[in-house]
Amino acid sequence: MLIVGGGYVGLFTALRLQRKLRRGEAEIVVIDPEPYMTYQPFLPEAAAGSISPRHVVVPLRRVLDKCEVVIGEATAIDHAKRTATVKTLATEEEGTGAITVPYDELILAPGSVSRTLPIPGLADYGIGFKTVEEAIGLRNHVLEQLDIASSTRDPEVRDAALTFVFVGGGYAGVEALGELEDMARYAARYYHNVSPDDLRFVLVEATDRILPEVGRDMGRYAVRELRGRNIDVRLGTRLDSCENRVAVLSDGSRLPTRTLVWTAGVKPHPVLAATDLPLDGRGRLVCTTALKVDGVDHAWAAGDAAAVPDLTATEPGRECAPNAQHAVRQTKVLAQNVLSSLRGKDLKDYRHKYVGSVASLGLHKGVAQVYGTKLKGYPAWFMHRAYHLSRLPTFNRKARVLAEWILAGLFKREIVSLGSLENPRAEFELAAGTGRHPEAS
């Protein structure tokens, strides 16, 4: 049994299967480019320093002790032949080319990747926010901008360093903005010539609302809350260009900035296009309500990669939203259906009951809509933390995150930039006389 992807769906499905499979009934192979699963809802807090980066990731080999974990990237899948083409670190070192992994049952859960647009300058200056590496890199970058602003005498360089533009008003963009704005304004107090009021944060959203998942009323409250913190929220506005470190918006604004964070949506993983399985117009796998790939035997999918009909929707033809809430819930049905298929039993349809949505707007601030009840401020922020802590895999990670929150409440924030971690050999190369500057590697 082959599971492609070690994210929400891959990890939780493999966990349930390894617990319920009988001895000798099946072997599970999990393939993912990283040796860990990233719990993405905690990335904003990791970027702000509230949680250690190593505690927002779950090591696959430690958790999936009854599975074979292969660290590599599936580049193509030939389901007719029941084979997957996989590139690993070893194949790159050996120069032997990709390996072929055979399977009997396939569970496709590669997740999604950032959706970018052909905007001039975006590939050169944009910063993503989907991985733990990007989150920590962004934290280091923001703190480095304060150092630049504190040290320069050039007002244009200073203004650009203290202007932070976030594009995308969904969960990722708003929560990252809220946490980093909190952190940056706190850090500014330790610079003698940088005031918290000198920092300028801008949120750019192409539609007329932010955080659509929490409802229109709570979305409007979130806008008021952010604007009350002197955050410039631009609704109905697009990013047209960011060449030469100048963000040009569709409303005619020109914002010189050294920080442009792109969180404007995701798209299906490229491996889906390299399969012989049916895809919809958005490039996702066409699935049944039982989480089988439609019209194909022995192929399953869930999460961002799957277009699953929503049986609870009032409108016909609607599909489940590609979010973490659905992904985690679908794994229960997916694992059970795979077992039922192996054992010749009937399959179960995926049907969810909407509980609500929660979003953080920074420390002690948030919005939520849970079972029809609207929450804001501290109660919503507390609900956000409690919900995601309950969904974090393993007791070990839960305990570590909870301990860090308690310590963070007792002591001051950590505001150290460790940007050199991104180029660990730079100092040695300079000392060895290679002529390379630490920032040139």
Side-chain angles (χ1 to χ4, degrees):
M1 185 180 301
L2 178 65
I3 300 178
V4 177
Y8 292 110
V9 175
L11 174 66
F12 282 101
T13 303
L15 270 173
R16 291 189 168 91
L17 287 173
Q18 73 175 11
R19 290 173 188 159
K20 296 182 178 181
L21 279 169
R22 303 176 186 129
R23 184 183 297 273
E25 188 173 15
E27 295 180 359
I28 306 172
V29 178
V30 179
I31 296 176
D32 194 84
E34 303 293 346
Y36 53 79
M37 181 272 252
T38 302
Y39 192 72
Q40 293 182 352
F42 280 158
L43 286 184
E45 292 205 43
S50 299
I51 303 176
S52 173
R54 67 183 184 278
H55 295 157
V56 302
V57 298
V58 181
L60 296 179
R61 285 195 172 92
R62 179 175 178 179
V63 175
L64 303 178
D65 55 333
K66 297 180 182 178
C67 303
E68 180 184 350
V69 177
V70 177
I71 305 306
E73 182 178 4
T75 58
I77 293 172
D78 188 339
H79 190 66
K81 296 181 179 179
R82 302 289 195 274
T83 60
T85 304
V86 180
K87 292 193 301 185
T88 68
L89 293 177
T91 59
E92 292 181 5
E93 289 292 328
E94 296 167 355
T96 55
I99 61 174
T100 299
V101 178
Y103 63 83
D104 297 307
E105 296 282 338
L106 172 68
I107 299 175
L108 261 176
S112 57
V113 298
S114 295
R115 176 176 59 87
T116 58
L117 299 175
I119 296 174
L122 180 60
D124 297 319
Y125 301 111
I127 302 172
F129 197 79
K130 194 166 175 58
T131 67
V132 67
E133 293 86 358
E134 289 175 325
I136 304 312
L138 180 57
R139 168 187 169 81
N140 292 333
H141 175 82
V142 168
L143 292 173
E144 286 169 1
Q145 300 316 300
L146 298 183
D147 289 329
I148 292 172
S150 175
S151 305
T152 185
R153 295 183 178 179
D154 188 326
E156 292 184 359
V157 172
R158 177 186 170 90
D159 289 345
L162 296 180
T163 299
F164 306 92
V165 179
F166 288 70
V167 182
Y171 277 128
V174 173
E175 292 188 344
L177 169 63
E179 293 285 351
L180 285 165
E181 186 264 351
D182 255 358
M183 185 268 293
R185 294 197 194 280
Y186 176 87
R189 70 179 67 181
Y190 295 102
Y191 293 80
H192 71 281
N193 57 351
V194 176
S195 165
D197 293 334
D198 295 335
L199 278 62
R200 184 183 186 188
F201 282 81
V202 183
L203 176 63
V204 180
E205 167 56 36
T207 67
D208 63 348
R209 59 193 292 199
I210 66 173
L211 297 174
E213 297 87 353
V214 299
R216 189 170 291 276
D217 290 343
M218 288 294 96
R220 282 195 289 261
Y221 166 80
V223 171
R224 292 197 301 271
E225 166 69 22
L226 295 177
R227 286 174 173 167
R229 290 157 57 180
N230 291 322
I231 296 174
D232 185 358
V233 180
R234 307 282 185 98
L235 300 178
T237 306
R238 301 180 310 277
L239 175 70
D240 287 341
S241 170
C242 57
E243 290 183 301
N244 302 318
R245 295 189 182 276
V246 177
V248 180
L249 307 183
S250 60
D251 62 6
S253 302
R254 296 176 59 86
L255 306 173
T257 178
R258 294 177 56 85
T259 308
L260 189 138
V261 184
W262 179 266
T263 62
V266 295
K267 64 182 180 180
H269 194 283
V271 71
L272 300 184
T275 72
D276 53 353
L277 300 172
L279 305 179
D280 69 0
R282 297 181 181 178
R284 297 184 298 169
L285 292 164
V286 179
C287 293
T288 68
T289 53
L291 305 178
K292 286 188 62 177
V293 177
D294 194 21
V296 180
D297 293 329
H298 309 293
W300 312 80
D304 292 354
V308 180
D310 188 347
L311 293 179
T312 65
T314 56
E315 304 172 13
R318 288 196 61 179
E319 296 168 346
C320 297
N323 56 35
Q325 189 175 130
H326 277 298
V328 174
R329 291 181 176 188
Q330 286 172 353
T331 59
K332 297 180 181 180
V333 177
L334 176 57
Q336 186 58 52
N337 281 350
V338 171
L339 288 172
S340 296
S341 177
L342 290 176
R343 297 167 184 173
K345 298 182 180 179
D346 293 336
L347 304 184
K348 178 182 177 182
D349 288 335
Y350 171 69
R351 183 187 301 271
H352 74 98
K353 182 179 180 181
Y354 179 74
V355 175
S357 298
V358 292
S360 169
L361 300 178
L363 190 62
H364 300 159
K365 296 174 283 287
V367 291
Q369 184 164 291
V370 183
Y371 291 114
T373 301
K374 298 174 183 177
L375 301 173
K376 56 187 179 182
Y378 185 90
W381 170 83
F382 182 83
M383 181 70 72
H384 173 270
R385 280 197 163 183
Y387 172 78
H388 285 300
L389 183 65
S390 71
R391 292 296 182 267
L392 185 66
T394 78
F395 176 79
N396 177 297
R397 283 295 178 271
K398 288 182 173 70
R400 290 176 183 272
V401 168
L402 183 58
E404 286 196 305
W405 283 342
I406 293 172
L407 291 174
L410 298 174
F411 301 101
K412 295 181 178 180
R413 282 178 183 260
E414 292 289 348
I415 54 168
V416 177
S417 169
L418 296 176
S420 59
L421 290 176
E422 297 161 30
N423 300 301
R425 294 193 67 247
E427 187 67 28
F428 181 79
E429 288 172 345
L430 188 65
T434 61
R436 298 179 67 181
H437 191 273
E439 295 183 357
S441 55

